[in-house]
């Protein structure tokens, strides 16, 4: 740890910024300095935005999405096709699919993928709630939009088995998703194509 070059308030800011994904200690210092120089135009609005988001953030009780309203914006949007549930591991995947405007259905966020090695079992994920939703009469298709990793595919198979008696079509993304690929890192075109060319399990 290098010696502090600024007061504790600034060092604290740098330490917190350094915890953000994609920011190491060096870029955290640069970001902190940038904020400090732009404290009226950027730092104050950012502090307000953080505070407001903190107070309003809620996890959607229907789908597990993160939003400032509950049920979330997507679950309450009447223009969404309620017959399709897109299953994702994480909110970042939901955001990636929305960026790609890949599908106009509703979502279900599992909160991770099954991972025996990391001790993540079915009880740690929002799987029971998904099975219950899949049994609703309005639901006709469940799209498993999970990462093309071992854990993602294990999870897809597990869910497919559970949905056998739900009388829904279960589909998965087409092979546009590279093996080991994480949805969040795919470009919008690839993601949209993978959804369009989805295959039935
Ligand atoms: Zn929702």
């Amino acid at each position: 740890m290098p010696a502090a070059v600024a007061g504790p308030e600034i060092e604290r800011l740098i330490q917190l910024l350094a915890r953000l994904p994609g920011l190491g200690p060096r870029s955290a210092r640069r970001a902190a300095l940038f904020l400090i120089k732009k404290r009226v135009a950027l730092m104050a609005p950012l502090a307000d935005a953080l505070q407001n988001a903190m107070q309003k953030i809620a996890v959607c009780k229907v789908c597990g999405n993160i939003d400032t309203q509950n049920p979330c914006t997507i679950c309450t949007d009447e223009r969404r096709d309620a017959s399709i549930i897109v299953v994702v591991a994480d909110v970042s995947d939901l955001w990636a699919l929305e960026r790609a405007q890949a599908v106009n259905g509703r979502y279900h966020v599992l909160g991770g993928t099954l991972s025996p090695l990391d001790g993540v079992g079915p009880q740690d994920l929002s799987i029971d709630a998904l099975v219950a939703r899949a049994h609703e009469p309005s639901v006709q298709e469940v799209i498993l939009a999970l990462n093309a990793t071992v854990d993602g595919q294990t999870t897809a198979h597990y869910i497919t088995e559970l949905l056998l008696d739900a009388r829904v079509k279960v589909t998965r993304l087409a092979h546009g998703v590279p093996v080991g690929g994480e949805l969040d890192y795919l470009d919008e075109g690839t993601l949209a194509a993978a959804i369009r060319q989805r295959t039935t399990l």
Side-chain angles (χ1 to χ4, degrees):
M1 189 91 187
V5 293
E9 296 83 2
I10 292 176
E11 289 297 331
R12 172 94 180 125
L13 176 62
I14 295 167
Q15 277 170 17
L16 290 172
L17 287 170
R19 288 202 215 159
L20 295 175
L23 283 195
R26 276 178 66 125
S27 26
R29 284 190 181 273
R30 221 172 315 155
L33 194 54
F34 189 78
L35 284 171
I36 289 164
K37 284 180 181 167
K38 307 243 177 216
R39 53 192 173 282
V40 176
L42 189 59
M43 200 181 203
L46 179 65
D48 280 349
L50 286 171
Q51 187 102 46
N52 288 337
M54 257 316 282
Q55 283 163 359
K56 291 189 180 162
I57 278 169
V59 174
C60 176
K61 62 186 177 196
V62 178
C63 73
N65 186 18
I66 288 174
D67 203 343
T68 51
Q69 63 178 64
N70 189 4
C72 72
T73 308
I74 291 176
C75 283
T76 50
D77 185 348
E78 294 293 329
R79 290 161 302 179
R80 296 263 171 179
D81 184 348
S83 73
I84 297 177
I85 297 178
V86 186
V87 178
V88 292
D90 199 85
V91 174
S92 60
D93 301 321
L94 186 161
W95 287 0
L97 289 164
E98 284 295 295
R99 266 201 318 274
Q101 297 183 301
V103 62
N104 188 39
R106 302 235 162 112
Y107 289 90
H108 192 88
V109 182
L110 294 174
T113 44
L114 294 175
S115 180
L117 284 179
D118 297 325
V120 182
Q123 70 286 349
D124 300 311
L125 305 177
S126 175
I127 290 180
D128 289 347
L130 169 64
V131 173
R133 285 182 75 192
H135 277 86
E136 286 169 15
S138 57
V139 176
Q140 287 166 18
E141 181 179 358
V142 172
I143 304 175
L144 300 173
L146 297 167
N147 292 335
T149 55
V150 173
D151 288 347
Q153 296 315 300
T154 305
T155 311
H157 283 124
Y158 182 82
I159 291 174
T160 306
E161 298 276 302
L162 288 181
L163 293 180
L164 280 180
D165 60 351
R167 293 197 183 155
V168 290
K169 189 161 110 180
V170 180
T171 55
R172 58 190 268 174
L173 298 185
H175 290 299
V177 181
V179 173
E182 302 202 9
L183 301 189
D184 196 19
Y185 293 97
L186 292 181
D187 69 275
E188 280 89 11
T190 307
L191 209 42
I195 283 267
R196 269 199 311 276
Q197 297 157 14
R198 62 189 181 270
T199 51
T200 307
L201 284 164

